[in-house]
Amino acid sequence: MKMINLNIIIRKVAVAIVLFHHSVFAQHVEVYTEILPPFQIMVAKQLVGTATEQVEQLLADAQLSYDIHVVPWARAYNTVKTTPNTLIYSMNRTAEREPYFFWIKRLGQIGNSFISLSNNKQNLSSIADAKNYVTAAVRDGYAYELLIELGFTIDKNLFVVATLEQQISLLLNGKIDFLFTDIQSVKLALAAQQLDPAMVSISYSEPTWIHDLYLAANIDSDPELLQQIGKVYSAQLP
């Protein structure tokens, strides 16, 4: 019987350990988001917020390395929609978006409304009323998609912007009549600027404009990556 070379065995075991470690722990994902209080917000040049905390914890538990990119929503949305192994949050889950994303985890809930300055004398009782004024929405966001679906026209009664901050600036400067977004996000953004949150209020809303927000991945992402994330999330369920 031939003697087994111990050094060869050790080398094979070492290679197997390295390959296992690489396959399990070396996955890296690019994560995209926007500023949307309280879900993701910048404090002292650091991204925090209720959704950010959940996302970071989930990725840490999945032992994935990641970078979070804070960019205008349209860039985040279109990048992840077309790029495998990328994630996005916090995103409204809608029927139109369903085929393009792997929906990983619910992060919270958001409601959209027509929002005006509290001293605004313009009363809204319907979508038809709102079409007589100019409303701002963030490009490629759920609010933007809904207003287009409802018959709003860009550069007529719909002003398209890149960020929530731009929406608020236009409203405060009298350039538009309404925002179409989440009232909580607007109030928190005003407070961060040391402005009175009470200066804005809801002019019109509908219950169907409330949606869940999700962490999602490009649908064509590596199945092993999605499985690795999915296993961790499933383990966290009660």
Side-chain angles (χ1 to χ4, degrees), residues 180-211:
F180 191 62
T181 188
D182 177 64
I183 187 67
Q184 181 187 26
S185 297
V186 175
K187 287 180 175 290
L188 288 170
L190 288 171
Q193 299 178 42
Q194 298 185 328
L195 297 172
D196 185 4
M199 67 193 305
V200 295
S201 58
I202 294 175
S203 294
Y204 181 73
S205 188
E206 294 185 5
T208 56
W209 297 344
I210 299 173
H211 279 266

PDB file of all heavy atoms in Angstrom, residues 180-211:
ATOM      1  N   PHE A 180     -46.781  66.020  -5.105  1.00  0.00           N
ATOM      2  CA  PHE A 180     -47.465  64.735  -4.999  1.00  0.00           C
ATOM      3  C   PHE A 180     -46.447  63.751  -4.459  1.00  0.00           C
ATOM      4  O   PHE A 180     -45.586  63.237  -5.168  1.00  0.00           O
ATOM      5  CB  PHE A 180     -48.005  64.274  -6.353  1.00  0.00           C
ATOM      6  CG  PHE A 180     -48.940  63.094  -6.237  1.00  0.00           C
ATOM      7  CD1 PHE A 180     -50.119  63.189  -5.520  1.00  0.00           C
ATOM      8  CD2 PHE A 180     -48.628  61.886  -6.828  1.00  0.00           C
ATOM      9  CE1 PHE A 180     -50.982  62.106  -5.401  1.00  0.00           C
ATOM     10  CE2 PHE A 180     -49.480  60.786  -6.723  1.00  0.00           C
ATOM     11  CZ  PHE A 180     -50.662  60.900  -6.002  1.00  0.00           C
ATOM     12  N   THR A 181     -46.544  63.513  -3.141  1.00  0.00           N
ATOM     13  CA  THR A 181     -45.570  62.668  -2.459  1.00  0.00           C
ATOM     14  C   THR A 181     -46.105  62.338  -1.071  1.00  0.00           C
ATOM     15  O   THR A 181     -47.298  62.527  -0.784  1.00  0.00           O
ATOM     16  CB  THR A 181     -44.193  63.369  -2.400  1.00  0.00           C
ATOM     17  OG1 THR A 181     -43.220  62.464  -1.894  1.00  0.00           O
ATOM     18  CG2 THR A 181     -44.223  64.622  -1.529  1.00  0.00           C
ATOM     19  N   ASP A 182     -45.233  61.898  -0.183  1.00  0.00           N
ATOM     20  CA  ASP A 182     -45.616  61.503   1.164  1.00  0.00           C
ATOM     21  C   ASP A 182     -45.493  62.678   2.128  1.00  0.00           C
ATOM     22  O   ASP A 182     -44.434  63.315   2.203  1.00  0.00           O
ATOM     23  CB  ASP A 182     -44.715  60.345   1.621  1.00  0.00           C
ATOM     24  CG  ASP A 182     -44.986  59.917   3.042  1.00  0.00           C
ATOM     25  OD1 ASP A 182     -46.104  59.441   3.315  1.00  0.00           O
ATOM     26  OD2 ASP A 182     -44.086  60.069   3.893  1.00  0.00           O
ATOM     27  N   ILE A 183     -46.545  62.971   2.871  1.00  0.00           N
ATOM     28  CA  ILE A 183     -46.560  64.132   3.757  1.00  0.00           C
ATOM     29  C   ILE A 183     -45.533  63.995   4.886  1.00  0.00           C
ATOM     30  O   ILE A 183     -44.874  64.968   5.268  1.00  0.00           O
ATOM     31  CB  ILE A 183     -47.975  64.362   4.361  1.00  0.00           C
ATOM     32  CG1 ILE A 183     -48.024  65.671   5.160  1.00  0.00           C
ATOM     33  CG2 ILE A 183     -48.418  63.175   5.183  1.00  0.00           C
ATOM     34  CD1 ILE A 183     -47.881  66.913   4.330  1.00  0.00           C
ATOM     35  N   GLN A 184     -45.347  62.786   5.404  1.00  0.00           N
ATOM     36  CA  GLN A 184     -44.367  62.581   6.470  1.00  0.00           C
ATOM     37  C   GLN A 184     -42.955  62.908   5.981  1.00  0.00           C
ATOM     38  O   GLN A 184     -42.171  63.536   6.685  1.00  0.00           O
ATOM     39  CB  GLN A 184     -44.426  61.138   6.980  1.00  0.00           C
ATOM     40  CG  GLN A 184     -43.454  60.845   8.114  1.00  0.00           C
ATOM     41  CD  GLN A 184     -43.416  59.377   8.495  1.00  0.00           C
ATOM     42  OE1 GLN A 184     -43.710  58.504   7.683  1.00  0.00           O
ATOM     43  NE2 GLN A 184     -43.053  59.097   9.738  1.00  0.00           N
ATOM     44  N   SER A 185     -42.645  62.479   4.765  1.00  0.00           N
ATOM     45  CA  SER A 185     -41.319  62.751   4.206  1.00  0.00           C
ATOM     46  C   SER A 185     -41.088  64.245   4.048  1.00  0.00           C
ATOM     47  O   SER A 185     -39.999  64.759   4.337  1.00  0.00           O
ATOM     48  CB  SER A 185     -41.164  62.055   2.848  1.00  0.00           C
ATOM     49  OG  SER A 185     -41.246  60.657   2.988  1.00  0.00           O
ATOM     50  N   VAL A 186     -42.095  64.952   3.600  1.00  0.00           N
ATOM     51  CA  VAL A 186     -41.982  66.404   3.413  1.00  0.00           C
ATOM     52  C   VAL A 186     -41.771  67.103   4.752  1.00  0.00           C
ATOM     53  O   VAL A 186     -40.901  67.973   4.888  1.00  0.00           O
ATOM     54  CB  VAL A 186     -43.228  66.970   2.700  1.00  0.00           C
ATOM     55  CG1 VAL A 186     -43.154  68.494   2.616  1.00  0.00           C
ATOM     56  CG2 VAL A 186     -43.356  66.371   1.305  1.00  0.00           C
ATOM     57  N   LYS A 187     -42.555  66.734   5.750  1.00  0.00           N
ATOM     58  CA  LYS A 187     -42.444  67.379   7.063  1.00  0.00           C
ATOM     59  C   LYS A 187     -41.068  67.133   7.693  1.00  0.00           C
ATOM     60  O   LYS A 187     -40.473  68.044   8.286  1.00  0.00           O
ATOM     61  CB  LYS A 187     -43.562  66.876   7.985  1.00  0.00           C
ATOM     62  CG  LYS A 187     -44.945  67.433   7.639  1.00  0.00           C
ATOM     63  CD  LYS A 187     -46.002  66.894   8.586  1.00  0.00           C
ATOM     64  CE  LYS A 187     -47.361  67.522   8.326  1.00  0.00           C
ATOM     65  NZ  LYS A 187     -47.420  68.946   8.718  1.00  0.00           N
ATOM     66  N   LEU A 188     -40.570  65.914   7.552  1.00  0.00           N
ATOM     67  CA  LEU A 188     -39.244  65.606   8.109  1.00  0.00           C
ATOM     68  C   LEU A 188     -38.146  66.357   7.354  1.00  0.00           C
ATOM     69  O   LEU A 188     -37.173  66.818   7.958  1.00  0.00           O
ATOM     70  CB  LEU A 188     -38.989  64.104   8.053  1.00  0.00           C
ATOM     71  CG  LEU A 188     -39.794  63.258   9.044  1.00  0.00           C
ATOM     72  CD1 LEU A 188     -39.631  61.773   8.736  1.00  0.00           C
ATOM     73  CD2 LEU A 188     -39.368  63.548  10.481  1.00  0.00           C
ATOM     74  N   ALA A 189     -38.302  66.491   6.052  1.00  0.00           N
ATOM     75  CA  ALA A 189     -37.321  67.238   5.262  1.00  0.00           C
ATOM     76  C   ALA A 189     -37.325  68.714   5.637  1.00  0.00           C
ATOM     77  O   ALA A 189     -36.270  69.357   5.721  1.00  0.00           O
ATOM     78  CB  ALA A 189     -37.601  67.070   3.777  1.00  0.00           C
ATOM     79  N   LEU A 190     -38.498  69.271   5.887  1.00  0.00           N
ATOM     80  CA  LEU A 190     -38.592  70.666   6.329  1.00  0.00           C
ATOM     81  C   LEU A 190     -37.942  70.840   7.703  1.00  0.00           C
ATOM     82  O   LEU A 190     -37.204  71.805   7.929  1.00  0.00           O
ATOM     83  CB  LEU A 190     -40.056  71.099   6.379  1.00  0.00           C
ATOM     84  CG  LEU A 190     -40.757  71.313   5.042  1.00  0.00           C
ATOM     85  CD1 LEU A 190     -42.253  71.535   5.250  1.00  0.00           C
ATOM     86  CD2 LEU A 190     -40.149  72.507   4.289  1.00  0.00           C
ATOM     87  N   ALA A 191     -38.217  69.914   8.608  1.00  0.00           N
ATOM     88  CA  ALA A 191     -37.623  69.993   9.944  1.00  0.00           C
ATOM     89  C   ALA A 191     -36.102  69.940   9.872  1.00  0.00           C
ATOM     90  O   ALA A 191     -35.414  70.625  10.626  1.00  0.00           O
ATOM     91  CB  ALA A 191     -38.166  68.861  10.818  1.00  0.00           C
ATOM     92  N   ALA A 192     -35.567  69.133   8.949  1.00  0.00           N
ATOM     93  CA  ALA A 192     -34.117  69.032   8.789  1.00  0.00           C
ATOM     94  C   ALA A 192     -33.519  70.356   8.307  1.00  0.00           C
ATOM     95  O   ALA A 192     -32.339  70.635   8.561  1.00  0.00           O
ATOM     96  CB  ALA A 192     -33.776  67.918   7.802  1.00  0.00           C
ATOM     97  N   GLN A 193     -34.334  71.160   7.632  1.00  0.00           N
ATOM     98  CA  GLN A 193     -33.897  72.480   7.181  1.00  0.00           C
ATOM     99  C   GLN A 193     -34.236  73.564   8.201  1.00  0.00           C
ATOM    100  O   GLN A 193     -34.130  74.751   7.911  1.00  0.00           O
ATOM    101  CB  GLN A 193     -34.554  72.824   5.841  1.00  0.00           C
ATOM    102  CG  GLN A 193     -34.217  71.879   4.711  1.00  0.00           C
ATOM    103  CD  GLN A 193     -34.939  72.246   3.422  1.00  0.00           C
ATOM    104  OE1 GLN A 193     -35.051  73.422   3.050  1.00  0.00           O
ATOM    105  NE2 GLN A 193     -35.454  71.242   2.727  1.00  0.00           N
ATOM    106  N   GLN A 194     -34.690  73.133   9.385  1.00  0.00           N
ATOM    107  CA  GLN A 194     -35.083  74.041  10.463  1.00  0.00           C
ATOM    108  C   GLN A 194     -36.261  74.923  10.048  1.00  0.00           C
ATOM    109  O   GLN A 194     -36.350  76.094  10.425  1.00  0.00           O
ATOM    110  CB  GLN A 194     -33.893  74.880  10.929  1.00  0.00           C
ATOM    111  CG  GLN A 194     -32.760  74.030  11.505  1.00  0.00           C
ATOM    112  CD  GLN A 194     -31.623  74.857  12.072  1.00  0.00           C
ATOM    113  OE1 GLN A 194     -31.325  75.939  11.590  1.00  0.00           O
ATOM    114  NE2 GLN A 194     -30.988  74.334  13.112  1.00  0.00           N
ATOM    115  N   LEU A 195     -37.164  74.339   9.275  1.00  0.00           N
ATOM    116  CA  LEU A 195     -38.396  75.000   8.861  1.00  0.00           C
ATOM    117  C   LEU A 195     -39.574  74.325   9.560  1.00  0.00           C
ATOM    118  O   LEU A 195     -39.501  73.161   9.957  1.00  0.00           O
ATOM    119  CB  LEU A 195     -38.576  74.927   7.341  1.00  0.00           C
ATOM    120  CG  LEU A 195     -37.508  75.643   6.509  1.00  0.00           C
ATOM    121  CD1 LEU A 195     -37.688  75.336   5.018  1.00  0.00           C
ATOM    122  CD2 LEU A 195     -37.561  77.151   6.751  1.00  0.00           C
ATOM    123  N   ASP A 196     -40.665  75.048   9.711  1.00  0.00           N
ATOM    124  CA  ASP A 196     -41.825  74.547  10.435  1.00  0.00           C
ATOM    125  C   ASP A 196     -42.574  73.505   9.593  1.00  0.00           C
ATOM    126  O   ASP A 196     -43.098  73.837   8.522  1.00  0.00           O
ATOM    127  CB  ASP A 196     -42.755  75.710  10.766  1.00  0.00           C
ATOM    128  CG  ASP A 196     -43.936  75.279  11.623  1.00  0.00           C
ATOM    129  OD1 ASP A 196     -43.990  74.094  12.024  1.00  0.00           O
ATOM    130  OD2 ASP A 196     -44.812  76.132  11.888  1.00  0.00           O
ATOM    131  N   PRO A 197     -42.661  72.254  10.049  1.00  0.00           N
ATOM    132  CA  PRO A 197     -43.389  71.227   9.295  1.00  0.00           C
ATOM    133  C   PRO A 197     -44.863  71.562   9.095  1.00  0.00           C
ATOM    134  O   PRO A 197     -45.496  71.068   8.149  1.00  0.00           O
ATOM    135  CB  PRO A 197     -43.224  69.968  10.155  1.00  0.00           C
ATOM    136  CG  PRO A 197     -41.992  70.222  10.964  1.00  0.00           C
ATOM    137  CD  PRO A 197     -42.003  71.699  11.236  1.00  0.00           C
ATOM    138  N   ALA A 198     -45.404  72.400   9.987  1.00  0.00           N
ATOM    139  CA  ALA A 198     -46.823  72.749   9.894  1.00  0.00           C
ATOM    140  C   ALA A 198     -47.128  73.652   8.703  1.00  0.00           C
ATOM    141  O   ALA A 198     -48.299  73.918   8.414  1.00  0.00           O
ATOM    142  CB  ALA A 198     -47.281  73.423  11.191  1.00  0.00           C
ATOM    143  N   MET A 199     -46.094  74.094   7.990  1.00  0.00           N
ATOM    144  CA  MET A 199     -46.336  74.990   6.850  1.00  0.00           C
ATOM    145  C   MET A 199     -46.875  74.241   5.638  1.00  0.00           C
ATOM    146  O   MET A 199     -47.276  74.863   4.654  1.00  0.00           O
ATOM    147  CB  MET A 199     -45.051  75.740   6.480  1.00  0.00           C
ATOM    148  CG  MET A 199     -43.929  74.896   5.937  1.00  0.00           C
ATOM    149  SD  MET A 199     -42.341  75.805   5.901  1.00  0.00           S
ATOM    150  CE  MET A 199     -42.786  77.243   4.941  1.00  0.00           C
ATOM    151  N   VAL A 200     -46.934  72.887   5.705  1.00  0.00           N
ATOM    152  CA  VAL A 200     -47.536  72.119   4.617  1.00  0.00           C
ATOM    153  C   VAL A 200     -48.649  71.238   5.160  1.00  0.00           C
ATOM    154  O   VAL A 200     -48.664  70.873   6.339  1.00  0.00           O
ATOM    155  CB  VAL A 200     -46.492  71.239   3.892  1.00  0.00           C
ATOM    156  CG1 VAL A 200     -45.454  72.099   3.203  1.00  0.00           C
ATOM    157  CG2 VAL A 200     -45.840  70.251   4.853  1.00  0.00           C
ATOM    158  N   SER A 201     -49.594  70.903   4.282  1.00  0.00           N
ATOM    159  CA  SER A 201     -50.703  70.035   4.670  1.00  0.00           C
ATOM    160  C   SER A 201     -51.246  69.310   3.450  1.00  0.00           C
ATOM    161  O   SER A 201     -50.965  69.696   2.308  1.00  0.00           O
ATOM    162  CB  SER A 201     -51.819  70.844   5.348  1.00  0.00           C
ATOM    163  OG  SER A 201     -52.289  71.855   4.475  1.00  0.00           O
ATOM    164  N   ILE A 202     -52.011  68.258   3.691  1.00  0.00           N
ATOM    165  CA  ILE A 202     -52.599  67.477   2.607  1.00  0.00           C
ATOM    166  C   ILE A 202     -53.828  68.182   2.058  1.00  0.00           C
ATOM    167  O   ILE A 202     -54.722  68.565   2.810  1.00  0.00           O
ATOM    168  CB  ILE A 202     -52.973  66.072   3.094  1.00  0.00           C
ATOM    169  CG1 ILE A 202     -51.712  65.283   3.452  1.00  0.00           C
ATOM    170  CG2 ILE A 202     -53.783  65.315   2.038  1.00  0.00           C
ATOM    171  CD1 ILE A 202     -51.993  63.910   4.056  1.00  0.00           C
ATOM    172  N   SER A 203     -53.869  68.343   0.745  1.00  0.00           N
ATOM    173  CA  SER A 203     -55.027  68.941   0.094  1.00  0.00           C
ATOM    174  C   SER A 203     -55.997  67.892  -0.446  1.00  0.00           C
ATOM    175  O   SER A 203     -57.204  68.123  -0.495  1.00  0.00           O
ATOM    176  CB  SER A 203     -54.581  69.848  -1.060  1.00  0.00           C
ATOM    177  OG  SER A 203     -53.876  70.964  -0.575  1.00  0.00           O
ATOM    178  N   TYR A 204     -55.438  66.758  -0.876  1.00  0.00           N
ATOM    179  CA  TYR A 204     -56.307  65.692  -1.393  1.00  0.00           C
ATOM    180  C   TYR A 204     -55.524  64.386  -1.423  1.00  0.00           C
ATOM    181  O   TYR A 204     -54.343  64.365  -1.762  1.00  0.00           O
ATOM    182  CB  TYR A 204     -56.802  66.033  -2.807  1.00  0.00           C
ATOM    183  CG  TYR A 204     -57.730  64.986  -3.390  1.00  0.00           C
ATOM    184  CD1 TYR A 204     -59.038  64.849  -2.925  1.00  0.00           C
ATOM    185  CD2 TYR A 204     -57.296  64.119  -4.383  1.00  0.00           C
ATOM    186  CE1 TYR A 204     -59.889  63.894  -3.445  1.00  0.00           C
ATOM    187  CE2 TYR A 204     -58.142  63.156  -4.913  1.00  0.00           C
ATOM    188  CZ  TYR A 204     -59.437  63.044  -4.442  1.00  0.00           C
ATOM    189  OH  TYR A 204     -60.271  62.084  -4.957  1.00  0.00           O
ATOM    190  N   SER A 205     -56.203  63.297  -1.066  1.00  0.00           N
ATOM    191  CA  SER A 205     -55.562  61.989  -1.095  1.00  0.00           C
ATOM    192  C   SER A 205     -56.617  60.908  -1.296  1.00  0.00           C
ATOM    193  O   SER A 205     -57.818  61.157  -1.127  1.00  0.00           O
ATOM    194  CB  SER A 205     -54.791  61.730   0.203  1.00  0.00           C
ATOM    195  OG  SER A 205     -54.018  60.551   0.094  1.00  0.00           O
ATOM    196  N   GLU A 206     -56.145  59.707  -1.653  1.00  0.00           N
ATOM    197  CA  GLU A 206     -57.033  58.559  -1.808  1.00  0.00           C
ATOM    198  C   GLU A 206     -56.371  57.342  -1.167  1.00  0.00           C
ATOM    199  O   GLU A 206     -55.147  57.201  -1.230  1.00  0.00           O
ATOM    200  CB  GLU A 206     -57.333  58.294  -3.287  1.00  0.00           C
ATOM    201  CG  GLU A 206     -58.134  59.403  -3.947  1.00  0.00           C
ATOM    202  CD  GLU A 206     -58.532  59.067  -5.381  1.00  0.00           C
ATOM    203  OE1 GLU A 206     -58.264  57.918  -5.826  1.00  0.00           O
ATOM    204  OE2 GLU A 206     -59.120  59.935  -6.051  1.00  0.00           O
ATOM    205  N   PRO A 207     -57.170  56.458  -0.553  1.00  0.00           N
ATOM    206  CA  PRO A 207     -56.602  55.282   0.130  1.00  0.00           C
ATOM    207  C   PRO A 207     -55.778  54.385  -0.789  1.00  0.00           C
ATOM    208  O   PRO A 207     -54.830  53.730  -0.332  1.00  0.00           O
ATOM    209  CB  PRO A 207     -57.844  54.546   0.645  1.00  0.00           C
ATOM    210  CG  PRO A 207     -58.904  55.596   0.742  1.00  0.00           C
ATOM    211  CD  PRO A 207     -58.628  56.559  -0.370  1.00  0.00           C
ATOM    212  N   THR A 208     -56.115  54.326  -2.078  1.00  0.00           N
ATOM    213  CA  THR A 208     -55.394  53.442  -3.003  1.00  0.00           C
ATOM    214  C   THR A 208     -53.987  53.931  -3.301  1.00  0.00           C
ATOM    215  O   THR A 208     -53.203  53.220  -3.956  1.00  0.00           O
ATOM    216  CB  THR A 208     -56.160  53.311  -4.326  1.00  0.00           C
ATOM    217  OG1 THR A 208     -56.377  54.617  -4.881  1.00  0.00           O
ATOM    218  CG2 THR A 208     -57.496  52.624  -4.113  1.00  0.00           C
ATOM    219  N   TRP A 209     -53.635  55.105  -2.832  1.00  0.00           N
ATOM    220  CA  TRP A 209     -52.292  55.645  -3.073  1.00  0.00           C
ATOM    221  C   TRP A 209     -51.309  55.246  -1.976  1.00  0.00           C
ATOM    222  O   TRP A 209     -50.192  55.726  -1.932  1.00  0.00           O
ATOM    223  CB  TRP A 209     -52.351  57.170  -3.187  1.00  0.00           C
ATOM    224  CG  TRP A 209     -53.163  57.638  -4.358  1.00  0.00           C
ATOM    225  CD1 TRP A 209     -53.565  56.905  -5.435  1.00  0.00           C
ATOM    226  CD2 TRP A 209     -53.698  58.952  -4.561  1.00  0.00           C
ATOM    227  NE1 TRP A 209     -54.294  57.674  -6.302  1.00  0.00           N
ATOM    228  CE2 TRP A 209     -54.401  58.933  -5.791  1.00  0.00           C
ATOM    229  CE3 TRP A 209     -53.645  60.139  -3.825  1.00  0.00           C
ATOM    230  CZ2 TRP A 209     -55.048  60.060  -6.299  1.00  0.00           C
ATOM    231  CZ3 TRP A 209     -54.297  61.267  -4.331  1.00  0.00           C
ATOM    232  CH2 TRP A 209     -54.980  61.224  -5.554  1.00  0.00           C
ATOM    233  N   ILE A 210     -51.731  54.367  -1.095  1.00  0.00           N
ATOM    234  CA  ILE A 210     -50.848  53.839  -0.053  1.00  0.00           C
ATOM    235  C   ILE A 210     -50.228  52.534  -0.552  1.00  0.00           C
ATOM    236  O   ILE A 210     -50.931  51.640  -1.022  1.00  0.00           O
ATOM    237  CB  ILE A 210     -51.613  53.589   1.256  1.00  0.00           C
ATOM    238  CG1 ILE A 210     -52.206  54.895   1.792  1.00  0.00           C
ATOM    239  CG2 ILE A 210     -50.701  52.952   2.296  1.00  0.00           C
ATOM    240  CD1 ILE A 210     -53.109  54.711   2.995  1.00  0.00           C
ATOM    241  N   HIS A 211     -48.902  52.441  -0.470  1.00  0.00           N
ATOM    242  CA  HIS A 211     -48.206  51.243  -0.960  1.00  0.00           C
ATOM    243  C   HIS A 211     -47.120  50.813   0.018  1.00  0.00           C
ATOM    244  O   HIS A 211     -46.577  51.625   0.769  1.00  0.00           O
ATOM    245  CB  HIS A 211     -47.558  51.520  -2.315  1.00  0.00           C
ATOM    246  CG  HIS A 211     -48.510  51.431  -3.469  1.00  0.00           C
ATOM    247  ND1 HIS A 211     -48.693  50.284  -4.209  1.00  0.00           N
ATOM    248  CD2 HIS A 211     -49.338  52.357  -4.010  1.00  0.00           C
ATOM    249  CE1 HIS A 211     -49.597  50.507  -5.157  1.00  0.00           C
ATOM    250  NE2 HIS A 211     -49.997  51.749  -5.055  1.00  0.00           N
TER     251      HIS A 211
END
